[in-house]
Amino acid sequence: RGGYRFVLVVGSLVMVALAFLYQVGTAPVMLSTEISIDAPRAEVWKVVRDMQNWKDWNPCFHIEIDGMPEVGSPILIKCHWLDGSKATANERISHVEPETRLCWDYEDLPDWALGTDRCVVLTDTETGGTHVRNYELFFNLLGGLVGNLFGKSIIQGFSLMNEKLKQKVEAAAAEEEEAK
């Protein structure tokens, strides 16, 4: 009788935990930041696509990649979060649209467990500058859980990346203008 009650209680707790994980984990979470840069897309693209040199201007995301990004290229991302913690992730380039979009996906877990779509998207502004959208979509079984758990740090990292990208590109454009 005691063993039956134990199995019933443990089974009920497992079912509640699985139901919670299913509800929280499968709801997609989109994390996104945006910024406008006073420079043409071609100039912003030069910096964005040069992932191996992000460490020179991007304090949060350092990338290890052989050469320029191409669809299928493996990358290692070393995250340096603002709270002092660090993480690494094996990812793979999924989309390269010159001067428009660079995307990559998380590879450390199977896609059915944790799917991601991480992109930097560039569009023109009405004033001849560039609008940058920096986002990551988390989906599948653990997507909602991971996105919600790390969302604040990721948004802070994206925002700082945007600011540093803006500073780098606009400083280079100002130097080029002065040289004329």
Side-chain angles (χ1 to χ4, degrees):
R1 181 165 165 96
Y4 173 74
R5 181 178 278 161
F6 175 77
V7 169
L8 186 60
V9 169
V10 170
S12 296
L13 290 174
V14 167
M15 294 300 287
V16 167
L18 287 174
F20 173 77
L21 181 60
Y22 181 77
Q23 288 299 314
V24 173
T26 59
V29 171
M30 172 66 81
L31 304 173
S32 179
T33 60
E34 300 181 29
I35 197 165
S36 290
I37 298 177
D38 189 21
R41 268 196 297 168
E43 297 305 312
V44 178
W45 178 253
K46 286 179 192 175
V47 177
V48 169
R49 76 178 176 108
D50 188 14
M51 296 178 92
Q52 60 193 349
N53 288 312
W54 279 19
K55 64 187 175 299
D56 297 339
W57 60 269
N58 186 340
C60 292
F61 305 106
H62 299 180
I63 309 290
E64 290 182 12
I65 184 172
D66 289 328
M68 290 296 168
E70 296 179 12
V71 172
S73 298
I75 61 175
L76 177 68
I77 298 182
K78 296 180 179 180
C79 305
H80 301 267
W81 302 115
L82 298 181
D83 67 3
S85 63
K86 296 180 181 179
T88 59
N90 290 293
E91 310 219 0
R92 187 166 304 278
I93 301 294
S94 59
H95 294 88
V96 179
E97 294 175 41
E99 298 183 19
T100 303
R101 180 168 73 143
L102 177 61
C103 303
W104 54 97
D105 299 324
Y106 185 71
E107 295 257 306
D108 286 335
L109 290 174
D111 199 46
W112 61 264
L114 178 60
T116 67
D117 187 21
R118 170 76 169 93
C119 294
V120 178
V121 178
L122 311 178
T123 55
D124 293 326
T125 65
E126 292 179 5
T127 60
T130 303
H131 180 82
V132 178
R133 181 168 178 239
N134 201 341
Y135 76 84
E136 187 157 15
L137 175 65
F138 294 88
F139 54 94
N140 291 344
L141 184 62
L142 299 174
L145 184 65
V146 172
N148 286 313
L149 189 61
F150 298 106
K152 182 179 176 184
S153 293
I154 292 168
I155 289 292
Q156 288 174 339
F158 288 179
S159 294
L160 184 57
M161 176 182 169
N162 289 351
E163 287 296 327
K164 296 298 183 178
L165 176 62
K166 179 180 177 73
Q167 289 172 12
K168 178 167 180 62
V169 172
E170 289 181 355
E175 287 175 15
E176 188 176 300
E177 189 64 32
E178 283 180 21
K180 289 182 180 179

